[in-house]
Amino acid sequence: MASDSNRPTDSQAPDATSSSESTAQGDGSSPPASADISSAEASTSPTADERVHSAGDAEAERRGESASPAAPDSAVPDSAVSAAHQPFDSAAPAGSPLSRAVQPQRVPEGADVIHPSLFFNRELSWLDFNWRVLQMARDRRTPLLERLRFLSITAQNLDGFIRKRIGGLKRQAAAGVTSLSPDGRTPEEQLAHIVRGVRPMYSALGHTWKQLEPELEEEIGLRVQDYDDLEAPQKEKLAAYFRKNIFPILTPLAVDPGRPFPFISNMSLSLAVLLRHPDRGTQHFARVKVPTSRARWLSLDEPLHFVPIEQVIAHHVDELFQGMEVEGVYAFRVTRNADVRRDEEEADDLIEMISERLRERRFAPVVRLEVDHDMPESVRSFLMEKLSIGPEDVYVADGIIDFTDVRVLADLHVPDDRYHKALRFSKWTPLTPPRLRRGVGRDANDIFSVIRENDLLVHHPYDSFEESVQRFIEDAAADPKVLAIKQTLYRTSEDSPIVDALIDAAESGKQVAVLVEVKARFDEEKNIAWGRKLEDAGVHVAYGLVGLKTHAQAALVVRREDDGLRTYVHISTGNYNTQTARQYTDYGLLTCDRNIGYDLTNLFHYLTGYAPEQSYREMIVAPQDMRDHFLQLIRQEIEHQKAHGTGRIMAKMNELGDSRIISELYRASQAGVQIDLAVRSHCRLRPGLEGYSDTIRVVSIVGRFLEHDRAFYFHNNGDPRVFIGSADWQRSRLDDRVEAAVPITDEKQRRRIVRTLEHAVSDPGTAWELQPDGRYVQRTPDDDKLGYQERLMQYAQSRREDYGAI
């Protein structure tokens, strides 16, 4: 959680950032001499152009859709506003379509497969993904405390989207960029649609909280009270707590000719204080930051009863302004643009450039202002003026601001007399792969002998990360026969045992080389610190490649054995992070295949040295040839379909956005190839369009685990080609990152992945099926059938020989 990363009762979210306080001026100008905010005028800047761009013939009938088409190149009438702009339904039953942000366009007769109308907008599709996350909080089938957690995740997701995606489009629009997205829209047009899509979601967060509040109180007695509703003895205790624990750390920042408008740190919760001088009658403004060193929810005498800290501060703020009259106190929060760009080609030092970029991000333009619904228009306008934003950037909260903090409530200890198992997901402990079980592999054989017997495929969090991947690195660090370890680190956990093992290896005299990607967004500072810690231990550290992010997840171990040097490899779809390995689904392959070992050795030569023209025997590497390789595999399925009628593709990924691959999938569908895709987040492809994607089905799975693995299956006329890898079919992943995928050659392991893909695309209870018009409809659950993730958990527990032992 960005605004509360230091709160002692909260947990760190994956994309969290923190900002220190500063008195730097927000807009570079001094306030008027009187600092009388009652005279501040609202911005009259026009909002972004709200035209709907419809490339091609706007009058041509769009095929394969049941919903009303988007309007042509003109202002959008009320009738064309998507479901996302309709009243919020807080209790939509399973099988109902969700609110929708995407604005599909008519497909002109005879349009080519690259026509913009055949692509959903990435940003709007992402908003629809976040609606699916929010539905987990609204769905009464989700355990009650987990619903709180999903509310927090939705809010955190939305914060990141506004920082990165809206911030990036605003930067493009300000720079006069007019290039079109694959769906044929300019940055300004996209912004207009996004703003109209974000507002209902922002309101829905508050609606969902209000839906959960009475259920939480009735079920377990959990209640977040308003300060005004407290009894006098409760207020007296809070007053004493305030004076002892909060008052000393508050810093009121007044605005007058000698004290300019203060810098407002990103994602920090603040209080706008409206004051009046009792003698002169002048009105004044001050800002008080809500401290992140104190818990957001302050406990009351009654168990599981709390009051928000900002309300306690607001009701005692007069103690900070002795001699002044407090006319009003209003909460607000600012969000700053995270899309700060610099030219890496001109940088002499990548670390220095990233550090400068982080400083720029801290002072980046504001892209959102959240305000208390009671805040007067004069105060709101004053903040807009000082933060240099327009009314389209202001969001009025109906209730509390910042729902990311409700994650803390989801993790609370519930007294035994109120707790029951249905409040949370059942506990899941990842299982040790049978070949690595203690007494079977760990005590009797080292992990390297297990890998020599046969490749080891692991699927987290069903298979234990600690007992497989972490053990692989730790055993390599301790093994005197190991000469060298090479590894990539994109994101890792706090107090990382992986990093500790690499340091131990270096200190014991092994050659250790690590590529630490310092451009991993929101983890830059952490990764720079990890890199320096590794360097201090004697590890050879590279900090990334100019112009590319290294997202390939790989480790290489070189071991001296009786028959010479042997390379052992781990290739994964996810990060070397022990925390997320329990929450994210990811595949990993442990192998000593000589071709893959040769390929990964070459890849590390490219990452740490100068070898841009490397060749690879088995691995598929981006940006070198990954897209072309997948395009060729799709074309082969077209040929198999034409010759034998056997064309079949299944793939699972996080995002699908590469226009060239999508167009090739359309051609494959036109040829009759059967295509099933499981895409968790945004998807530009439009399935089920007559004449274009009749044979393509797209589902999205949102559940207790975050679906993060990437797997690809091509039937190949009965000789299947199966791959796992770090990259989605997304342009930025294929062009702007170093990514790696490997073929799965063992027949049992191929069957395991194929079976898992089949379960994903046919999931009866938790999958959302994407419609041609962009709506997602959740499949009606069947009481006697397990959902996708529950089925995989059951398989892992059963440890069937044909599934778990490979």
Side-chain angles (χ1 to χ4, degrees):
M1 178 187 54
S3 63
D4 296 304
S5 58
N6 295 318
R7 291 194 193 279
T9 57
D10 200 6
S11 59
Q12 188 74 20
D15 281 347
T17 58
S18 59
S19 300
S20 58
E21 191 62 6
S22 169
T23 56
Q25 194 164 330
D27 62 356
S29 62
S30 297
S34 65
D36 188 346
I37 66 171
S38 62
S39 64
E41 296 182 358
S43 169
T44 57
S45 323
T47 59
D49 179 14
E50 295 194 355
R51 294 180 303 113
V52 174
H53 181 85
S54 181
D57 184 3
E59 298 303 319
E61 289 298 321
R62 179 168 52 86
R63 291 183 280 173
E65 298 184 10
S66 57
S68 299
D73 203 13
S74 60
V76 181
D78 291 341
S79 60
V81 176
S82 75
H85 311 126
Q86 301 302 320
F88 174 71
D89 180 6
S90 62
S96 302
L98 275 185
S99 296
R100 184 187 67 185
V102 296
Q103 294 282 345
Q105 301 173 84
R106 298 179 181 91
V107 180
E109 194 73 32
D112 192 81
V113 293
I114 62 172
H115 194 276
S117 62
L118 293 174
F119 296 86
F120 290 130
N121 180 266
R122 168 191 169 138
E123 320 303 345
L124 300 179
S125 180
W126 183 92
L127 286 173
D128 287 340
F129 158 68
N130 213 33
W131 277 114
R132 299 193 293 280
V133 179
L134 182 60
Q135 180 61 18
M136 291 293 291
R138 298 161 59 192
D139 192 340
R140 287 184 171 84
R141 293 178 300 165
T142 306
L144 184 57
L145 291 178
E146 304 296 347
R147 292 168 66 187
L148 264 183
R149 193 183 317 281
F150 278 105
L151 175 61
S152 169
I153 292 170
T154 306
Q156 179 179 290
N157 287 349
L158 187 60
D159 287 349
F161 176 80
I162 289 172
R163 292 189 68 194
K164 294 182 287 187
R165 307 308 302 178
I166 291 183
L169 286 169
K170 280 180 170 288
R171 182 184 56 79
Q172 292 179 36
V177 174
T178 58
S179 58
L180 303 182
S181 59
D183 59 303
R185 293 182 169 109
T186 66
E188 286 191 345
E189 289 167 341
Q190 292 183 76
L191 279 170
H193 284 294
I194 290 169
V195 167
R196 290 185 302 142
V198 165
R199 290 193 181 282
M201 182 174 292
Y202 187 81
S203 298
L205 295 173
H207 285 300
T208 304
W209 170 248
K210 290 179 180 179
Q211 174 188 338
L212 288 169
E213 279 188 296
E215 296 184 46
L216 289 164
E217 184 170 8
E218 179 180 355
E219 193 74 19
I220 60 173
L222 174 60
R223 184 180 179 188
V224 176
Q225 297 184 243
D226 287 330
Y227 184 91
D228 289 333
D229 296 334
L230 300 180
E231 301 293 336
Q234 294 175 309
K235 292 181 179 180
E236 291 174 6
K237 289 187 177 181
L238 285 172
Y241 178 87
F242 170 82
R243 295 183 183 107
K244 181 179 180 180
N245 298 287
I246 301 176
F247 179 84
I249 58 178
L250 296 178
T251 303
L253 299 173
V255 176
D256 59 30
R259 292 170 289 191
F261 189 82
F263 171 76
I264 309 295
S265 53
N266 179 59
M267 310 305 287
S268 61
L269 188 60
S270 299
L271 298 177
V273 185
L274 193 59
L275 304 164
R276 186 171 296 278
H277 195 284
D279 297 328
R280 297 195 296 268
T282 53
Q283 198 174 52
H284 300 269
F285 175 90
R287 178 256 183 158
V288 176
K289 180 181 179 180
V290 176
T292 58
S293 58
R294 293 292 179 265
R296 174 76 183 276
W297 316 109
L298 301 183
S299 299
L300 300 173
D301 291 337
E302 180 72 18
L304 300 182
H305 280 217
F306 303 91
V307 64
I309 187 175
E310 63 269 24
Q311 292 188 15
V312 175
I313 297 173
H315 282 82
H316 295 86
V317 77
D318 58 315
E319 298 182 30
L320 300 172
F321 301 98
Q322 299 289 339
M324 297 289 286
E325 296 174 356
V326 177
E327 294 192 335
V329 185
Y330 313 99
F332 71 95
R333 187 173 73 142
V334 302
T335 305
R336 293 185 178 273
N337 187 359
D339 189 68
V340 178
R341 304 289 178 89
R342 277 182 164 261
D343 189 350
E344 296 178 25
E345 298 288 347
E346 297 181 2
D348 295 326
D349 186 314
L350 189 59
I351 296 298
E352 182 179 339
M353 187 211 74
I354 294 296
S355 299
E356 181 61 30
R357 188 167 74 181
L358 291 173
R359 286 190 288 270
E360 288 185 19
R361 184 187 293 167
R362 182 167 173 264
F363 295 96
V366 172
V367 293
R368 178 182 62 175
L369 170 64
E370 300 169 80
V371 299
D372 192 308
H373 70 283
D374 290 331
M375 180 181 285
E377 182 62 34
S378 60
V379 180
R380 192 182 306 176
S381 299
F382 178 77
L383 289 173
M384 289 164 55
E385 175 192 341
K386 293 303 177 184
L387 297 171
S388 301
I389 60 173
E392 70 276 8
D393 302 315
V394 179
Y395 292 76
V396 180
D398 183 15
I400 66 174
I401 294 174
D402 185 9
F403 285 103
T404 61
D405 276 337
V406 300
R407 182 189 302 263
V408 179
L409 303 177
D411 291 329
L412 286 172
H413 172 72
V414 179
D416 291 345
D417 60 335
R418 304 181 190 181
Y419 183 78
H420 54 85
K421 292 182 178 179
L423 288 173
R424 292 191 171 102
F425 288 129
S426 59
K427 183 179 179 181
W428 174 252
T429 301
L431 301 174
T432 302
R435 289 169 56 199
L436 295 177
R437 275 188 237 161
R438 298 177 186 276
V440 177
R442 191 156 200 159
D443 294 342
N445 304 295
D446 63 85
I447 192 170
F448 302 107
S449 65
V450 173
I451 297 171
R452 281 198 304 273
E453 290 173 2
N454 192 27
D455 294 352
L456 183 66
L457 180 71
V458 290
H459 194 191
H460 314 301
Y462 312 106
D463 295 321
S464 169
F465 179 89
E466 290 87 345
E467 292 295 322
S468 56
V469 180
Q470 182 179 326
R471 174 187 166 185
F472 174 66
I473 302 299
E474 290 177 338
D475 284 8
D479 189 340
K481 293 183 179 180
V482 169
L483 305 178
I485 304 174
K486 301 181 182 183
Q487 188 168 348
T488 61
L489 286 179
Y490 190 76
R491 301 188 198 277
T492 191
S493 53
E494 302 289 339
D495 301 320
S496 169
I498 299 293
V499 172
D500 290 342
L502 294 171
I503 289 174
D504 290 343
E507 291 178 342
S508 67
K510 293 176 172 60
Q511 184 186 80
V512 182
V514 179
L515 187 292
V516 178
E517 182 48 75
V518 293
K519 289 172 285 185
R521 198 190 299 262
F522 301 138
D523 274 341
E524 298 97 334
E525 288 180 287
K526 183 195 296 183
N527 285 1
I528 289 173
W530 281 128
R532 287 173 174 160
K533 182 176 181 180
L534 288 164
E535 282 184 321
D536 290 343
V539 175
H540 301 292
V541 177
Y543 288 98
L545 301 176
V546 172
L548 295 171
K549 281 186 181 180
T550 301
H551 187 249
Q553 313 292 333
L556 175 72
V557 171
V558 182
R559 192 169 187 264
R560 182 180 60 248
E561 298 184 350
D562 293 341
D563 57 349
L565 298 183
R566 187 186 297 268
T567 55
Y568 293 83
V569 167
H570 174 252
I571 298 283
S572 178
T573 66
N575 298 306
Y576 291 97
N577 188 315
T578 55
Q579 295 172 359
T580 59
R582 289 176 170 266
Q583 303 161 2
Y584 294 11
T585 69
D586 276 303
Y587 283 112
L589 179 69
L590 289 158
T591 180
C592 59
D593 180 276
R594 295 192 182 277
N595 285 333
I596 295 177
Y598 171 86
D599 287 347
L600 192 53
T601 300
N602 280 350
L603 180 60
F604 275 108
H605 289 168
Y606 167 55
L607 295 176
T608 61
Y610 291 104
E613 300 299 326
Q614 289 287 17
S615 61
Y616 304 97
R617 297 171 180 170
E618 298 288 345
M619 284 176 54
I620 310 172
V621 176
Q624 183 170 335
D625 62 358
M626 185 173 284
R627 178 190 285 108
D628 289 342
H629 198 101
F630 281 125
L631 288 173
Q632 183 58 33
L633 288 166
I634 296 170
R635 290 166 186 155
Q636 286 177 358
E637 291 305 309
I638 295 174
E639 295 305 314
H640 291 314
Q641 178 65 26
K642 291 178 179 178
H644 310 287
T646 60
R648 179 82 168 103
I649 297 171
M650 288 190 293
K652 186 171 182 292
M653 64 200 79
N654 292 261
E655 305 163 346
L656 175 56
D658 186 77
S659 56
R660 290 179 59 189
I661 287 183
I662 291 173
S663 295
E664 205 61 41
L665 290 171
Y666 286 149
R667 294 187 182 98
S669 181
Q670 289 174 330
V673 177
Q674 297 297 312
I675 303 170
D676 280 290
L677 306 171
V679 183
R680 172 179 57 87
S681 182
H682 68 259
C683 176
R684 289 187 190 269
L685 182 146
R686 296 180 65 175
L689 283 177
E690 182 182 353
Y692 293 94
S693 54
D694 308 72
T695 64
I696 302 178
R697 181 173 55 166
V698 177
V699 300
S700 171
I701 297 172
V702 178
R704 65 179 294 173
F705 303 131
L706 186 147
E707 294 294 330
H708 193 257
D709 51 71
R710 291 104 168 170
F712 310 92
Y713 162 81
F714 302 87
H715 182 265
N716 196 31
N717 197 34
D719 184 18
R721 304 291 307 279
V722 177
F723 302 84
I724 62 169
S726 60
D728 300 311
W729 285 347
Q730 184 79 359
R731 187 212 62 78
S732 60
R733 274 58 168 174
L734 302 175
D735 289 341
D736 303 332
R737 293 191 180 192
V738 178
E739 305 273 11
V742 290
I744 303 300
T745 57
D746 180 84
E747 178 60 26
K748 278 189 175 181
Q749 294 168 358
R750 279 206 305 258
R751 286 204 309 268
R752 177 180 178 181
I753 292 176
V754 172
R755 178 165 43 194
T756 303
L757 284 171
E758 289 172 341
H759 290 329
V761 299
S762 62
D763 176 25
T766 55
W768 295 85
E769 193 157 353
L770 177 58
Q771 307 301 305
D773 63 357
R775 292 176 301 120
Y776 277 87
V777 178
Q778 190 170 32
R779 292 170 175 165
T780 303
D782 193 330
D783 291 340
D784 62 350
K785 290 186 178 180
L786 295 173
Y788 169 70
Q789 294 180 352
E790 289 71 23
R791 178 177 291 189
L792 294 187
M793 292 163 67
Q794 186 183 72
Y795 279 152
Q797 287 173 324
S798 68
R799 312 313 290 161
R800 294 177 181 172
E801 187 64 25
D802 65 340
Y803 177 86
I806 55 179

